[in-house]
Amino acid sequence: MAELQRLRLDHAPALLAFEQENRAYFAASITDRGDDYFAHFDARHHDLLTEQASGLHFFHVLVNSSGAVLGRVNLVDVADGSAELGYRIAEKSAGQGLATAAVREICARAAAEYGLTALRAVTTLDNAGSRAVLARTGFIPTGEVRLDGRPGLRYVRDLEEVLEDTAP
């Protein structure tokens, strides 16, 4: 069982391990974070927490019962009632429905806890797994985009209906 938790300072060691263990896997589908990211991980982690405290972003980790990070689910560039969704799941945990469950949960949190009314997302056309997660969680394609020179799609998710679905 995995739990979606808001990013905290004490997540740093498990988060760094997650990023290191999955670096090659992630780099196969998205731009690599680069050596500098790992060399200055602690400072970057502190920066993320500062940005989160200011309300610019909401960062989350998906952890198992032993505290290992299985994934990340982030809402970035929060403004005017919306944010951009980003997520990544560990290679060993892919294909188990974790991304779909986590994105559904973050949509509910975004509406109920963070007061957002819409989420945006982008993915490349060759990332079938990510496109499937977005489709299963109510995101609608809104146009084409280029991501690091690769063709992709822009998506949006209206969160008004999420609040209606969770209302008593």
Side-chain angles (χ1 to χ4, degrees):
M1 194 71 187
E3 179 185 357
L4 192 63
Q5 299 177 354
R6 189 118 172 232
L7 186 65
R8 303 184 310 256
L9 185 59
D10 64 322
H11 286 127
L15 184 56
L16 178 57
F18 163 81
E19 291 290 353
Q20 290 171 324
E21 291 166 11
N22 293 283
R23 184 176 183 181
Y25 174 66
F26 295 145
S29 60
I30 56 177
T31 303
D32 183 62
R33 292 193 185 277
D35 292 338
D36 194 55
Y37 173 84
F38 296 95
H40 300 96
F41 182 84
D42 287 337
R44 179 69 183 131
H45 190 72
H46 283 280
D47 290 347
L48 292 178
L49 293 172
T50 300
E51 292 169 2
Q52 179 169 263
S54 73
L56 294 173
H57 313 292
F58 299 108
F59 302 109
H60 304 81
V61 288
L62 192 60
V63 298
N64 67 14
S65 58
S66 64
V69 173
L70 305 177
R72 299 181 79 160
V73 183
N74 300 320
L75 300 174
V76 300
D77 299 331
V78 176
D80 300 322
S82 71
E84 183 156 335
L85 169 71
Y87 54 91
R88 53 176 58 195
I89 301 295
E91 182 175 20
K92 66 182 178 187
S93 300
Q96 300 174 25
L98 291 177
T100 299
V103 170
R104 282 189 179 125
E105 184 173 342
I106 205 63
C107 286
R109 282 190 190 189
E113 294 178 32
Y114 306 140
L116 301 178
T117 57
L119 294 179
R120 304 174 309 279
V122 294
T123 191
T124 56
L125 293 179
D126 61 358
N127 192 337
S130 187
R131 287 188 297 116
V133 167
L134 293 171
R136 282 193 293 268
T137 56
F139 282 79
I140 306 296
T142 61
E144 297 178 1
V145 66
R146 303 277 310 164
L147 299 169
D148 297 319
R150 296 166 36 209
L153 290 172
R154 239 183 245 107
Y155 291 82
V156 70
R157 172 71 159 91
D158 181 352
L159 298 178
E160 302 282 331
E161 63 196 45
V162 172
L163 285 175
E164 293 168 9
D165 291 344
T166 59

